[in-house]
Amino acid sequence: MINTRAAGDSRHARTGKDGAFYNKDGVLLASVETFTSNVTFNNAKYSVLGDAQEHETSNTFVVNLTMSQVVIEDDAFIQEIFEAMQTQTMPVWDFQGSLTGRNGSEERVIYRDCIPSGQIDLQNITVGDVIKRAWNLFVNRPPKLQNLLSIA
């Protein structure tokens, strides 16, 4: 076996029960079923005289945050969205994503200046299913890695 670490460290693999999503004050957003953050890099392509190969250079990046909320009660987020549609002043939120390791270590990422982006469910009702609300947010400041998981 070439990669002995993969088999030996499988006990440290984490599942969704080890994750958490908090607001800026560190209050657990317990009705959030899932959250995902991702970054997309947009490079600029260029060609150089005398070189048939096309090249790329770093240009911009975009960070998006997506969450699925189980609707238990109407909360501050949906109230702020409805208010924003009336006043035309969009809300700005800060969030914290957390993943806890088996040894008590924690990966924590801070997402600042998040604004609504794309589609957000106001009501999404299906017979026989738990009612959920999908949120799509654009992160306007680079995420900050506050802590990193360890297996030691």
Side-chain angles (χ1 to χ4, degrees):
M1 177 183 274
I2 296 172
N3 185 355
T4 58
R5 184 174 175 174
D9 290 343
S10 62
R11 68 187 186 281
H12 294 285
R14 309 313 318 140
T15 65
K17 68 177 176 40
D18 302 304
F21 196 61
Y22 300 89
N23 70 9
K24 70 177 178 183
D25 299 319
V27 175
L28 177 65
L29 300 174
S31 63
V32 174
E33 181 184 48
T34 64
F35 78 93
T36 303
S37 65
N38 57 56
V39 62
T40 302
F41 291 93
N42 303 301
N43 294 337
K45 294 182 184 259
Y46 67 96
S47 298
V48 178
L49 288 175
D51 187 348
Q53 182 178 357
E54 187 174 68
H55 301 274
E56 287 189 357
T57 187
S58 297
N59 193 14
T60 63
F61 67 92
V62 174
V63 178
N64 290 293
L65 188 60
T66 305
M67 64 179 169
S68 171
Q69 175 188 24
V70 177
V71 177
I72 297 171
E73 60 184 347
D74 284 335
D75 60 13
F77 291 125
I78 197 65
Q79 291 171 8
E80 288 181 38
I81 288 294
F82 276 100
E83 182 179 321
M85 290 187 292
Q86 295 298 315
T87 64
Q88 298 185 12
T89 302
M90 293 302 122
V92 178
W93 295 302
D94 294 343
F95 297 107
Q96 302 175 43
S98 173
L99 179 61
T100 304
R102 187 174 301 274
N103 61 356
S105 67
E106 177 190 53
E107 177 183 278
R108 186 172 290 258
V109 178
I110 308 297
Y111 304 94
R112 291 193 172 95
D113 295 345
C114 301
I115 62 170
S117 179
Q119 184 171 313
I120 292 176
D121 289 342
L122 299 177
Q123 289 186 315
N124 183 356
I125 301 168
T126 304
V127 173
D129 197 5
V130 173
I131 299 172
K132 300 175 188 173
R133 188 175 285 134
W135 292 83
N136 294 293
L137 305 162
F138 187 90
V139 181
N140 275 302
R141 291 186 40 204
K144 181 177 180 186
L145 179 62
Q146 213 172 32
N147 296 322
L148 194 58
L149 277 178
S150 68
I151 59 170

